[in-house]
Amino acid sequence: QLQLQESGPGLVKPSQTLSLTCTVSGGSFNRVAYYWSWVRQHPGRGLEWIGYILYTGITFFNPSLRSRVNMSVDTSRTQFSLILNSVTAADTAIYYCAKASRVGSVTEPFANWGQGTLVTVSS
Amino acid sequence: DIQMTQSPSTLSASVGDTVTLTCRASQYINVWLAWYQQKRGKAPELLIYKASTLESGVPSRFSGSRSGTDFTLTISDLQPDDFATYYCQQYDSYPWAFGQGTKVEIK
């Protein structure tokens, strides 16, 4: 059974860089049809899709965050990472990694999620 | 960008009730709509995709439907485990977007 697990600092100072890693186990990682994604949830609020990366390194980001976000992938470790620059208190949220897929020409949404990790931006 | 609007924000119901949650897309998204259930302190779980297809392992009391840009999630015979927050998500076009959620609480 596919499992995703987020890891990274729980506290980041304003203006600094948030960096999280998602480790994937129990299933395939190197499939071009898998969209390895990040989704965040502000405290007590709804969900926001941040973007995804394919195992090839191709990325697609939400325009609302595109100027500050980057992602990378390490296929040897079956990990993908999120980098968010110049953070403010507004970036305080639970960050989830998740997997969406493509089957033929059809996208399938987030069937697999990590447990989430709370990142607080504060001095 | 496509906006997803869910209603109501909160719904009070009793065990055994049938409840209907609504999600409206600001633009045409065909059938590319998913529903998730989120319990407190947990990650969302996929219930329905492609507007009406039940994810494997999800009880049949959950069902989804579509009428144009309006989508509904119906929960029949509400069970104690169903009290949670439900989100819709469009994946027709980028950026993928979620609704703000409907909380189903015990009356």
Side-chain angles (χ1 to χ4, degrees), chain B residues 23-40:
Chain B
C23 175
R24 172 169 290 176
S26 62
Q27 300 175 35
Y28 178 75
I29 60 169
N30 201 342
V31 296
W32 310 119
L33 188 283
W35 289 97
Y36 301 85
Q37 177 192 69
Q38 186 178 35
K39 297 178 182 176
R40 181 178 293 275

Side-chain angles (χ1 to χ4, degrees), chain A residues 35 37 39 41 45-49 52 60-63 96 100 106-111 113-116, chain B residues 1 32 34 36 38 41-46 48-50 55 87 89 91 94-101:
Chain A
Y35 302 130
S37 300
V39 176
Q41 185 169 35
R45 303 279 298 279
L47 299 158
E48 179 182 27
W49 174 67
Y52 67 68
F60 201 102
F61 303 139
N62 190 324
Y96 295 99
V106 174
T107 300
E108 295 190 343
F110 302 114
W113 296 71
Q115 64 185 26
Chain B
D1 296 359
W32 310 119
Y36 301 85
Q38 186 178 35
K42 301 292 187 181
E45 292 187 4
L46 179 64
I48 286 172
Y49 62 96
K50 204 177 174 183
E55 174 72 348
Y87 293 95
Q89 180 223 341
Y91 53 100
Y94 298 115
W96 295 339
F98 295 85
Q100 79 277 19

Side-chain angles (χ1 to χ4, degrees), chain B residues 63-93:
Chain B
S63 62
S65 65
R66 169 207 173 204
S67 176
T69 58
D70 290 339
F71 299 83
T72 59
L73 172 68
T74 299
I75 312 172
S76 304
D77 187 24
L78 201 64
Q79 296 298 298
D81 192 50
D82 301 336
F83 291 96
T85 300
Y86 294 84
Y87 293 95
C88 62
Q89 180 223 341
Q90 71 83 13
Y91 53 100
D92 175 73
S93 62

Side-chain angles (χ1 to χ4, degrees), chain A residues 6-120:
Chain A
E6 305 89 351
S7 60
L11 181 65
V12 181
K13 288 182 167 52
S15 80
Q16 295 195 343
T17 297
L18 179 160
S19 182
L20 296 173
T21 294
C22 181
T23 302
V24 179
S25 60
S28 298
F29 185 81
N30 295 351
R31 295 274 179 91
V32 71
Y34 291 167
Y35 302 130
W36 300 108
S37 300
W38 290 94
V39 176
R40 70 180 182 178
Q41 185 169 35
H42 295 98
R45 303 279 298 279
L47 299 158
E48 179 182 27
W49 174 67
I50 298 171
Y52 67 68
I53 186 167
L54 308 185
Y55 90 97
T56 57
I58 293 173
T59 55
F60 201 102
F61 303 139
N62 190 324
S64 68
L65 294 167
R66 185 175 290 153
S67 64
R68 297 193 294 130
V69 72
N70 202 357
M71 296 181 187
S72 63
V73 64
D74 184 338
T75 56
S76 65
R77 298 184 178 184
T78 63
Q79 293 178 333
F80 62 103
S81 297
L82 168 70
I83 298 169
L84 184 63
N85 299 311
S86 304
V87 297
T88 69
D91 294 309
T92 294
I94 297 171
Y95 287 77
Y96 295 99
C97 56
K99 189 198 101 180
S101 307
R102 189 180 75 248
V103 179
S105 61
V106 174
T107 300
E108 295 190 343
F110 302 114
N112 304 96
W113 296 71
Q115 64 185 26
T117 187
L118 174 63
V119 178
T120 301

